[in-house]
Amino acid sequence: MKYYAAIDIGSNAVRLLIKRVNESEPRIDKRLSKVIMLRVPLRLGFDVFKNGKVSSGKVKKLVRLMKAYRQLLKIYEVSSYRACATSAMRDAANGAKIIDDITKETGIKVDLIDGEEEARIVYSNHMECMEDRRGNYLYVDVGGGSTEINFLVDGDLRFTGSYNIGTVRMLNDAVKVAVWEKLTKDLNELVVQSGSSSINIIGSGGNINKLFRLSKDSDKDRLRLPIESLCSLYQELSSLNLEERMSRYNLKPDRADVIVPAAKIFINISEIVKAEYIHVPVLGLADGIIDLLYQKDCLLGRETNG
């Protein structure tokens, strides 16, 4: 059995995903299945977006966590993995040093990826989950530090953008007006490109997955969350304080605060592109990383056999 892994060092949480390959599965998009997924809310972005760097205490915790993840990679005998750091580490004054420390202490090489690469990775396998790929779709991934968008027409990528608008940034009042304006401008241009055709959204990230599950009006069979339902849920969530959200919706503290700005970001985008729903496949950056690793191995295998 062959195993692949991805480590996502995000602004809100650090995730480890391990998947195994079932080579007997005829469909390539169905061959990978989840073995384990761990999520530890280190909340690096709260340090970075407020003070410009990751605190020494959180650096120590991050290194300890990566040591633990390294042991799991060994236990599962992972054949290939990739670790990626995103928005918070991009902005952190000590980000490069932290990455060096991780490599020295754990042997794990961490790639500091830019927003455009993050956007490409994060949408790489999601169209495989769509029954109907015809039409215009805006792939939107909302993280703690940034939002990535990809504009797809009949399954073909036409535009990629990354914006420093994220849930943790919003909670720290660290989103610049100019960035909102740039996102709005780009989205309006995509609307013009689409002509009279509608644009719907493919949503990614832990918050939209949770919002999808919380909404009573979600279409669970087609994995769709109507925008009208999202707006109603946002109004209810934003009217509650943190403790009330945790109690009423059974949310963890690190989800109860960021879920409100996440909903707001999705609503703002949906209003501009006039989306009717958000398609919510339960996949994220880590899934995209593993899919690309597997695709690379498959390509190398064909070249070797050829």
Side-chain angles (χ1 to χ4, degrees):
M1 193 73 70
K2 200 168 187 178
Y3 293 84
Y4 291 85
I7 297 173
D8 170 13
I9 304 176
S11 301
N12 194 36
V14 181
R15 299 171 179 83
L16 168 67
L17 176 65
I18 298 177
K19 291 186 175 183
R20 65 170 168 258
V21 181
N22 178 12
E23 294 291 358
S24 63
E25 169 59 52
R27 287 185 54 178
I28 190 170
D29 59 302
K30 299 291 186 180
R31 287 180 189 168
L32 294 164
S33 59
K34 182 172 69 174
V35 176
I36 185 173
M37 204 287 279
L38 297 175
R39 175 185 180 275
V40 179
L42 290 187
R43 323 209 83 181
L44 304 177
F46 280 88
D47 284 356
V48 176
F49 305 139
K50 183 178 181 180
N51 302 315
K53 64 179 183 178
V54 181
S55 65
S56 59
K58 285 193 178 177
V59 171
K60 290 178 182 178
K61 289 182 179 180
L62 176 58
V63 172
R64 288 172 185 159
L65 179 61
M66 296 298 280
K67 286 180 178 178
Y69 283 176
R70 180 62 178 175
Q71 293 305 311
L72 286 169
L73 295 180
K74 291 179 180 178
I75 289 169
Y76 283 95
E77 298 181 349
V78 169
S79 59
S80 183
Y81 77 90
R82 188 183 185 193
C84 294
T86 57
S87 186
M89 295 291 276
R90 288 196 294 264
D91 283 13
N94 56 343
K97 184 180 185 305
I98 294 170
I99 288 174
D100 287 341
D101 290 345
I102 289 172
T103 302
K104 291 175 183 176
E105 294 285 335
T106 70
I108 294 176
K109 179 182 178 295
V110 178
D111 295 327
L112 184 61
I113 60 174
D114 61 26
E116 289 192 1
E117 183 176 2
E118 184 179 356
R120 287 193 298 271
I121 292 172
V122 88
Y123 102 97
S124 62
N125 68 335
H126 290 66
M127 291 307 288
E128 299 294 337
C129 302
M130 298 288 290
E131 292 182 5
D132 181 11
R133 303 181 198 178
R134 306 294 299 177
N136 302 318
Y137 286 97
L138 191 69
Y139 189 97
V140 181
D141 180 73
V142 175
S146 64
T147 292
E148 277 66 49
I149 68 168
N150 296 274
F151 183 53
L152 303 144
V153 178
D154 296 335
D156 295 327
L157 181 63
R158 300 292 179 85
F159 175 85
T160 293
S162 178
Y163 307 85
N164 284 339
I165 299 170
T167 58
V168 178
R169 282 189 196 270
M170 289 178 68
L171 290 174
N172 284 274
D173 295 321
V175 178
K176 297 178 180 178
V177 173
V179 181
W180 278 113
E181 292 174 345
K182 171 64 172 162
L183 173 60
T184 301
K185 177 177 178 293
D186 289 347
L187 290 174
N188 281 321
E189 290 178 357
L190 296 180
V191 171
V192 172
Q193 288 182 33
S194 68
S196 58
S197 301
S198 62
I199 299 177
N200 282 303
I201 295 172
I202 305 171
S204 177
N207 287 300
I208 195 63
N209 291 331
K210 177 61 73 174
L211 289 162
F212 172 76
R213 292 193 294 271
L214 290 178
S215 174
K216 298 176 182 178
D217 300 316
S218 294
D219 185 341
K220 300 299 191 293
D221 293 330
R222 301 177 72 185
L223 300 178
R224 290 182 176 184
L225 173 59
I227 300 300
E228 185 177 351
S229 301
L230 176 60
C231 290
S232 297
L233 184 56
Y234 168 73
Q235 292 296 331
E236 188 167 350
L237 286 166
S238 59
S239 70
L240 305 174
N241 61 36
L242 186 67
E243 289 73 21
E244 289 170 335
R245 282 179 224 148
M246 291 169 58
S247 175
R248 185 173 300 183
Y249 292 98
N250 193 28
L251 297 173
K252 295 178 180 178
D254 60 283
R255 181 68 70 197
D257 57 356
V258 295
I259 198 168
V260 171
K264 182 61 176 174
I265 293 170
F266 275 106
I267 290 170
N268 286 353
I269 291 174
S270 67
E271 288 177 346
I272 295 171
V273 302
K274 298 179 174 59
E276 297 177 356
Y277 65 83
I278 299 175
H279 180 82
V280 190
V282 187
L283 299 165
L285 177 64
D287 298 273
I289 292 171
I290 290 177
D291 279 358
L292 291 175
L293 289 172
Y294 179 61
Q295 289 170 24
K296 182 180 178 181
D297 278 0
C298 289
L299 180 61
L300 289 173
R302 286 196 296 268
E303 291 176 349
T304 301
N305 294 330

